[in-house]
Amino acid sequence: MTDMLTDMSASTPFQKILVANRGEIALRVLRSARAMGYQTVAVYSTADAGARHVQEADQAVCIGEPLPAQSYLRIDAIIEAARLTGADAVHPGYGFLAENEDFARACREAGLVFIGPSPEAIIAMGHKAGAKKLMMDAGVPCIPGYQGEDQSEERLLAEAGRVGFPVMIKATAGGGGRGMRLVHTAKEFPDLLRSAQSEAQNAFGDPEVILERAIMEPRHIEIQIFADRHGNAIHLGERDCSVQRRHQKVIEEAPSPAVDAALRERMGATAVAAVKAIGYEGAGTLEFLLDQEGNFFFMEMNTRLQVEHPVTEAITGLDLVELQLRVAAGEPLPLRQEDVCFQGHAIEVRLCAEDVGKGFMPQSGTMLLWHAVEPLRVEQALRSGADIPPYYDSMIAKIIAHGDTRDEARRRLLLGLHQTVALGVATNQVFLGSCLRHPVFAAGDATTAFIARHQDDLLQVDAVTSERAVALAALLLFETANQQPTRAGLRRLAHALPMGMRLDMGGAKHNVQLTQSGAHHFDIQIDGRQHAVELVEIMPNQARVVFDGVMESAVFLRDGPQLLMHYRGQPTTVYDHTRSASERASDSGGDGKVRASMNGRVVAVLVAEGDQVEAGQPVVTLEAMKMEHVHLAPVSGRVSAVGVGVGEQVTLRRVLAEIEVPAAEQGKEPS
């Protein structure tokens, strides 16, 4: 393939950088740009008007409404923002338009330096089918499969049979696990194909897919490369991204526990040869599957900075954004392959706004209390009181630890995760800790099947901690009921009779009796089990107590009838229903109403008024934070009303549809 960069001059100076992104990656780019003396411009949607990246840039321009298609995906608005502010370079971050060849071309045509590869390189490597052919031509080992133009169901099914089941269906136009399905049999292929194509169309505007033979339980290994316009290219070692859920990366580390020096050299040399063959410029990542015999196969190339780049920075001591800026300005790479050194081990976890107990459903709302641990590297755009909109990716922070050894890095990350306070929006914080503690991960043996294989263990609830959390919440709800807590503000019950409370934690309801047995001592009975608690000290947002002779601390926040608490590394929300009415049928869907389980956008209405439906039948599909969620009929009956249409944005608990239960069936227990 001819050099894609022949039209570029040797030097392309710029002075002001517009960051065409939001959140933690926008802040990350701003940090390196400022350190190098560049002026900066942020862009934002109306939902992000108060966001940190807007406040920390030198200038900022609003580019549209909340939905990405109305703002962060608007090429014309971003180019106009650069013109308004005099920016002469654009950094796309990752996600949104980072791998969009039209955006890179529009920047070039507008006289802006695009801090990334050429549009020709993006289109060549961004399309999975075309990229795979290029890599095969360059001698890179690829997974057997089908990447033809005939996208008919009949042809794809026939090709799947030729490749051999199980096969993987992959959207050609994107990544991040969207438009990807694992198919075990020919019988399930048509339904999973339609599902993958639909998701690909919604996510990328292109339903085209490729097929690949499924390599079962591999490692997901990626090689970080850098290339300049002077013909130089190097690799910065590998990252292991095997811990995934639904093809979305959860934990990343460098180096990989499965890659030795000889394999690293082979994979790195392959990646460097590949990018030289296509005349690539800038940062990029070649992703491979590593099977249990040590064979590696090309999957795809990401023509941008990766979410997990901090672990590479930690072990190499390099600033990858700085390298991007230098290469984009026309400078040669400042180091050769032999200059790249690796030190220690680094692990990163992705903190996401999602409710693990409800199938990892994306969450939005206000992060009422946030505290990140200082000794660790935390990439985030949060603060107490920050809004988490429902329109964007669910990842809200990355926490990274570095150590001399892998286990040291793992321990540091576990401790930092344990101490991180995130109250107000449900996150996967506890789940991440469970992954890091699991003996398979601790031994360095996790493959892409890790979460699916060990999910029951990873979702296990610590019953002792949960019960103590209920007891502590009862005490704090009582103490903060009628006054603001102070250091000496320990209240007393007017008498020694027990005070009854009805509390709800994570959907589990508890009957609690609280009795003050001394000046600072309480007997707390939970569902018949007794606990003795001493309240040592209570201050705004913090309390110290003694359980069974051991003093512990908790961070808390009272918000009306609910108490949000961080205790023993676990965020907890406890609702006080003592003075509220008993649970209504509508709380469990018994009234036939289908309610939105999140803030989101309606992408499909699957029933019409008058239809007969069965309990569990799909009714409406919502999209939130780039994920689709099907809402099911809670009861069998006739659809009496449909309250939403495709494209409509809905809020949590909004009634999407109503189902009328036949009178003869009312009151019956579901089978």
Side-chain angles (χ1 to χ4, degrees):
M1 187 172 179
T2 57
D3 191 337
M4 296 176 177
L5 304 169
T6 52
D7 62 329
M8 299 293 289
S9 61
S11 177
T12 317
F14 47 86
Q15 301 298 321
K16 183 183 288 189
I17 300 170
L18 182 148
V19 183
N21 219 295
R22 66 180 298 278
E24 58 88 17
I25 183 55
L27 288 171
R28 169 71 189 90
V29 175
L30 292 174
R31 186 169 70 240
S32 287
R34 283 197 301 264
M36 295 178 69
Y38 290 110
Q39 297 178 60
T40 57
V41 178
V43 293
Y44 63 97
S45 71
T46 53
D48 279 339
R52 276 184 57 194
H53 76 280
V54 176
Q55 298 173 351
E56 295 194 16
D58 296 311
Q59 296 173 297
V61 178
C62 181
I63 54 172
E65 297 301 311
L67 288 175
Q70 301 168 339
S71 51
Y72 295 106
L73 293 177
R74 285 188 58 199
I75 294 174
D76 59 335
I78 294 172
I79 299 296
E80 176 62 12
R83 187 195 67 77
L84 283 173
T85 58
D88 46 4
V90 174
H91 194 300
Y94 43 68
F96 294 129
L97 296 171
E99 295 179 282
N100 185 299
E101 66 273 11
D102 292 334
F103 182 48
R105 187 177 292 110
C107 288
R108 186 164 69 186
E109 292 173 352
L112 302 169
V113 175
F114 182 77
I115 302 171
S118 68
E120 293 81 7
I122 292 174
I123 193 170
M125 298 309 296
H127 190 275
K128 286 186 175 65
K132 191 171 180 179
K133 185 178 185 305
L134 284 174
M135 292 298 99
M136 291 172 70
D137 292 344
V140 178
C142 294
I143 305 170
Y146 171 75
Q147 49 271 349
E149 294 183 4
D150 188 344
Q151 292 284 298
S152 67
E153 182 178 309
E154 294 77 12
R155 178 62 183 274
L156 289 169
L157 179 57
E159 291 293 340
R162 179 187 61 81
V163 171
F165 290 96
V167 297
M168 188 70 75
I169 302 172
K170 291 184 176 181
T172 61
R178 291 178 291 280
M180 186 181 295
R181 299 292 186 275
L182 175 62
V183 188
H184 291 278
T185 66
K187 182 179 180 180
E188 63 181 354
F189 185 87
D191 286 343
L192 290 174
L193 172 64
R194 285 190 287 271
S195 175
Q197 290 172 327
S198 173
E199 192 170 80
Q201 178 66 49
N202 288 328
F204 314 116
D206 184 352
E208 185 177 342
V209 299
I210 65 171
L211 304 178
E212 289 181 346
R213 179 183 298 161
I215 299 175
M216 304 308 291
E217 301 194 14
R219 297 273 192 160
H220 183 136
I221 307 295
E222 57 189 32
I223 304 292
Q224 175 71 61
I225 62 92
F226 259 94
D228 62 27
R229 68 187 61 173
H230 307 284
N232 305 306
I234 61 173
H235 73 84
L236 302 180
E238 83 283 356
R239 295 184 289 258
D240 193 317
C241 307
S242 299
V243 179
Q244 303 176 6
R245 191 190 64 79
R246 295 179 186 168
H247 309 292
Q248 296 272 6
K249 297 169 186 174
V250 175
I251 301 176
E252 302 101 347
E253 59 182 308
S256 167
V259 175
D260 59 20
L263 181 56
R264 179 176 302 114
E265 185 176 349
R266 294 206 316 274
M267 295 184 75
T270 298
V272 168
V275 296
K276 282 187 173 182
I278 63 173
Y280 190 81
E281 177 187 328
T285 302
L286 277 82
E287 304 204 356
F288 298 91
L289 292 181
L290 179 67
D291 70 17
Q292 297 178 5
E293 285 73 45
N295 304 305
F296 60 91
F297 303 92
F298 172 78
M299 279 202 306
E300 62 185 17
M301 182 178 183
N302 292 306
T303 55
R304 53 167 169 80
L305 197 67
Q306 291 279 84
V307 173
E308 55 272 20
H309 76 274
V311 295
T312 297
E313 293 185 326
I315 67 167
T316 61
L318 300 171
D319 182 330
L320 270 59
V321 175
E322 178 184 338
L323 282 178
Q324 282 188 297
L325 301 185
R326 293 192 182 282
V327 167
E331 296 181 25
L333 284 170
L335 71 168
R336 299 164 299 177
Q337 190 63 60
E338 55 265 33
D339 299 323
V340 178
C341 298
F342 305 110
Q343 182 178 4
H345 201 101
I347 308 177
E348 169 184 294
V349 294
R350 301 189 184 193
L351 186 70
C352 297
E354 55 190 21
D355 191 332
V356 174
K358 295 181 179 178
F360 295 86
M361 187 176 292
Q363 302 293 297
S364 57
T366 302
M367 186 62 74
L368 298 173
L369 198 59
W370 166 257
H371 174 70
V373 178
E374 295 297 333
L376 298 186
R377 176 173 175 175
V378 182
E379 297 287 338
Q380 47 89 21
L382 295 170
R383 56 173 174 247
S384 295
D387 286 329
I388 298 176
Y391 314 104
Y392 314 116
D393 193 88
S394 62
M395 190 187 76
I396 55 175
K398 303 178 307 194
I399 306 174
I400 306 100
H402 181 244
D404 290 336
T405 66
R406 182 176 186 272
D407 203 52
E408 182 179 317
R410 188 182 67 89
R411 291 195 311 268
R412 287 179 173 174
L413 186 53
L414 258 173
L415 180 61
L417 193 61
H418 184 90
Q419 295 173 338
T420 298
V421 177
L423 298 177
V425 177
T427 74
N428 63 339
Q429 180 179 1
V430 175
F431 178 77
L432 293 172
S434 296
C435 290
L436 293 172
R437 277 189 296 271
H438 196 279
V440 171
F441 181 84
D445 294 333
T447 69
T448 55
F450 170 73
I451 289 179
R453 184 175 292 276
H454 303 288
Q455 183 158 303
D456 289 346
D457 291 340
L458 298 174
L459 296 177
Q460 192 70 34
V461 176
D462 183 342
V464 173
T465 296
S466 295
E467 183 153 316
R468 290 189 174 200
V470 174
L472 181 53
L475 179 54
L476 294 175
L477 281 165
F478 168 70
E479 285 291 330
T480 59
N482 299 312
Q483 62 182 49
Q484 292 295 320
T486 63
R487 181 175 296 272
L490 300 178
R491 301 173 61 235
R492 290 194 178 193
L493 289 171
H495 46 74
L497 293 177
M499 174 182 176
M501 304 176 76
R502 290 191 296 113
L503 305 182
D504 183 318
M505 186 177 78
K509 295 173 174 56
H510 302 277
N511 292 311
V512 179
Q513 287 190 333
L514 185 147
T515 307
Q516 186 163 359
S517 57
H520 308 305
H521 295 265
F522 298 82
D523 291 324
I524 303 176
Q525 188 180 89
I526 302 172
D527 302 326
R529 294 179 295 277
Q530 197 76 17
H531 297 270
V533 184
E534 178 186 356
L535 180 57
V536 177
E537 188 174 43
I538 183 168
M539 300 173 288
N541 300 130
Q542 192 166 7
R544 285 194 299 151
V545 297
V546 174
F547 273 107
D548 300 326
V550 178
M551 187 178 295
E552 299 180 291
S553 296
V555 176
F556 72 94
L557 181 69
R558 177 72 184 260
D559 183 26
Q562 68 176 347
L563 186 95
L564 299 95
M565 183 170 62
H566 180 90
Y567 170 63
R568 288 191 171 185
Q570 298 190 18
T572 299
T573 300
V574 177
Y575 293 88
D576 185 359
H577 292 305
T578 304
R579 293 180 175 82
S580 63
S582 299
E583 181 184 15
R584 298 167 297 172
S586 61
D587 293 333
S588 57
D591 59 350
K593 291 183 171 64
V594 181
R595 292 177 171 82
S597 57
M598 73 200 89
N599 298 328
R601 184 171 64 91
V602 179
V603 295
V605 177
L606 306 172
V607 297
E609 187 173 336
D611 286 354
Q612 289 293 133
V613 296
E614 297 296 323
Q617 181 176 329
V619 175
V620 174
T621 302
L622 298 184
E623 181 186 59
M625 294 181 170
K626 301 184 180 179
M627 297 292 289
E628 290 188 359
H629 300 272
V630 179
H631 288 60
L632 309 178
V635 293
S636 299
R638 185 183 68 86
V639 178
S640 58
V642 176
V644 295
V646 173
E648 189 174 347
Q649 195 72 30
V650 299
T651 56
L652 177 68
R653 301 290 293 166
R654 163 88 176 269
V655 175
L656 309 175
E658 297 184 39
I659 300 168
E660 186 179 84
V661 182
E665 298 295 318
Q666 291 179 7
K668 287 187 178 181
E669 291 293 328
S671 57

